[in-house]
Amino acid sequence: MAWGRGMIAWLCLLLFLMVSAPAGAGPVAVTGALRVEMAGEAARVRLALSQPPAGSVTQFQLAAPERLVIDIAGASATRREVEGAGPVRAVRIGQFDPQTVRLVIE
């Protein structure tokens, strides 16, 4: 499956919508909710954050196998992985470096 620009933008928008507290309330933390849901023929990746990211959120693609990577600066998370659904094979998240959380969607 090829990751089109529309799919990448949609996944990034969904990431931003999954916040539960106002900005500036402290360090951003992944609060535990990480799941893949089917929405018709499309899959949604849901990630709950303690607040909107104050740092940069960047995304890029990797090939062989195809993956979408989203880095959230100024955040913390415990490593975990969930099974995918539909076009998403799996999703994992973890602390990439001391200041960056990395979300990988296969």
Side-chain angles (χ1 to χ4, degrees):
M1 177 190 96
W3 290 97
R5 284 186 171 261
M7 179 179 258
I8 291 169
W10 187 82
L11 287 169
C12 289
L13 175 62
L14 183 59
L15 175 68
F16 285 118
L17 294 176
M18 294 309 302
V19 296
S20 59
V28 176
V30 176
T31 60
L34 174 62
R35 63 183 180 264
V36 179
E37 303 170 339
M38 289 303 295
E41 293 184 21
R44 289 184 192 167
V45 176
R46 292 189 177 257
L47 171 67
L49 303 176
S50 62
Q51 64 185 6
S56 64
V57 176
T58 57
Q59 60 86 22
F60 58 93
Q61 292 176 256
L62 298 172
E66 288 187 82
R67 291 156 288 165
L68 174 64
V69 178
I70 300 172
D71 285 342
I72 307 168
S76 65
T78 303
R79 188 186 186 322
R80 72 193 92 146
E81 185 169 343
V82 297
E83 289 186 26
V88 175
R89 287 186 297 251
V91 178
R92 62 184 174 273
I93 192 164
Q95 200 69 43
F96 177 69
D97 63 33
Q99 294 296 315
T100 308
V101 166
R102 176 163 283 177
L103 176 70
V104 179
I105 303 167
E106 291 186 20

